[in-house]
Each structure stands twice: as structure tokens, then as C-alpha cells.
């Protein structure tokens, strides 16, 4: 019930469209997403939820690899761009090229920049302008929306510039 109330107050929820109802390369019915994802993944990725800070083991993951969308497998972030933001969520200073898209999120009576998967539209988190160099950005991601592949590398053409 609380989730429904927050969904109604924020303009988000089970009946809302992900990423402005854009047509995505990976598209499934609501029922297909529910079968494919865990309840928590569904809540975050499809209903624009947020996991509790400090609950994701990926926040403490420091190995080399690639972070993918947990819904569709799209490569999103190289571990080389990950940093400890102290927020309790995995944070990155840049996404992989063509991995994510953004849009304005006006839920909860504020304006933020939402980050979603370019391929399926799954809600990943938000980006803020208080990150480290070289971009000054902090992509604050829900760990439940990510799948980490230890040791995987992205093609050089897909990697953000290193500092």
C-alpha cells in the first residue's frame, strides 16, 4: 500500500510508462517483466523505485569488469569509472557509450535527471553534478538494477575517456 501511495504522489507506479513510453529495442509486457525480474528488480527497473541505501553488495564491489542492465543485459558502466561516493549506492563518473539515456524526473515535488537503460528503458537511478573529475558527474545507480560481470572488458570504442 505504501508503494502505491508513493507511486500516486510521485506520478509513478505500476501503470506508469517507463522512460516516456518510448519504443525500446527490448520491449515486453508488464507480465513478462514480472516473470523475468525479481520483485525488487521489477519495483526499481519498471516502477522507478529506489532500493534502500547500503543494501547492494555492488556498492562494495571493487573488481574490474562491466556492469550490465539486470533487465536486458545492456552493458552500462565500466568498473574503471566506479568510485566510492559515500551514498550507499554504486556510483560512476561516466557510462559506457550508448549504454544509458536520461530524462527529467519531476517526481516527489523535485526535479532530477533520471538515468535509464537505452535498450529496455529500465530505471537505473539518477545522475547528479557533484561527482569527481574528469566529468564532475555522479551516476548514482540502484545496485538491484545492475548485473556485474567480473573481469569482462568493454571494447575500447565503448569506454569513456580515462582521467
Amino acid at each position: 500500500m505504501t508503494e502505491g501511495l508513493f507511486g500516486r504522489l510521485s506520478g509513478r507506479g505500476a501503470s506508469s510508462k517507463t522512460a516516456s513510453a518510448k519504443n525500446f529495442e527490448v520491449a515486453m509486457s508488464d507480465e513478462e517483466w514480472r516473470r523475468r525480474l525479481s520483485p525488487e528488480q521489477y519495483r526499481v527497473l519498471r516502477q522507478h523505485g529506489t532500493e534502500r541505501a547500503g543494501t547492494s553488495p555492488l556498492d562494495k564491489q571493487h573488481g574490474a569488469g562491466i556492469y550490465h542492465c539486470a533487465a536486458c543485459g545492456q552493458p552500462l558502466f565500466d568498473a574503471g569509472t566506479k568510485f566510492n561516493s559515500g551514498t550507499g549506492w554504486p556510483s560512476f563518473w561516466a557510462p559506457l557509450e550508448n549504454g544509458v539515456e536520461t530524462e527529467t524526473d519531476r517526481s516527489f515535488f523535485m526535479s532530477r535527471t533520471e538515468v535509464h537503460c537505452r535498450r529496455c528503458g529500465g530505471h537505473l537511478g539518477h545522475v547528479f553534478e557533484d561527482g569527481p573529475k574528469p566529468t564532475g558527474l555522479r551516476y548514482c545507480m540502484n545496485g538491484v538494477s545492475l548485473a556485474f560481470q567480473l573481469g569482462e572488458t568493454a571494447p575500447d570504442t565503448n569506454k569513456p575517456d580515462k582521467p
Side-chain angles (χ1 to χ4, degrees), residues 23-160:
N23 290 323
F24 292 96
E25 182 182 334
V26 175
M28 296 184 198
S29 70
D30 193 53
E31 188 54 40
E32 289 171 311
W33 284 121
R34 284 183 187 275
R35 282 194 305 266
R36 180 181 185 110
L37 303 169
S38 73
E40 181 68 359
Q41 286 174 320
Y42 180 83
R43 188 181 69 77
V44 171
L45 285 156
R46 307 316 303 170
Q47 295 182 307
H48 299 257
T50 300
E51 69 186 350
R52 280 191 359 259
T55 61
S56 174
L58 294 181
D59 187 38
K60 304 289 189 251
Q61 172 58 252
H62 301 293
I66 301 295
Y67 291 83
H68 295 257
C69 174
C72 73
Q74 169 76 14
L76 303 172
F77 297 95
D78 185 291
T81 66
K82 189 170 187 273
F83 68 98
N84 183 2
S85 66
T87 62
W89 288 283
S91 296
F92 306 85
W93 51 261
L96 291 170
E97 190 175 320
N98 296 316
V100 303
E101 293 178 340
T102 62
E103 72 174 26
T104 301
D105 172 1
R106 290 189 173 85
S107 63
F108 295 107
F109 313 106
M110 65 180 102
S111 183
R112 302 176 291 179
T113 302
E114 178 196 356
V115 179
H116 62 267
C117 174
R118 179 197 57 81
R119 197 163 162 239
C120 73
H123 172 74
L124 303 170
H126 293 86
V127 62
F128 303 95
E129 295 180 353
D130 61 358
K133 292 180 180 182
T135 64
L137 299 175
R138 173 175 51 97
Y139 286 82
C140 189
M141 303 292 99
N142 289 287
V144 72
S145 67
L146 304 173
F148 181 62
Q149 296 297 312
L150 183 65
E152 183 180 6
T153 59
D156 285 339
T157 58
N158 205 16
K159 288 185 180 179

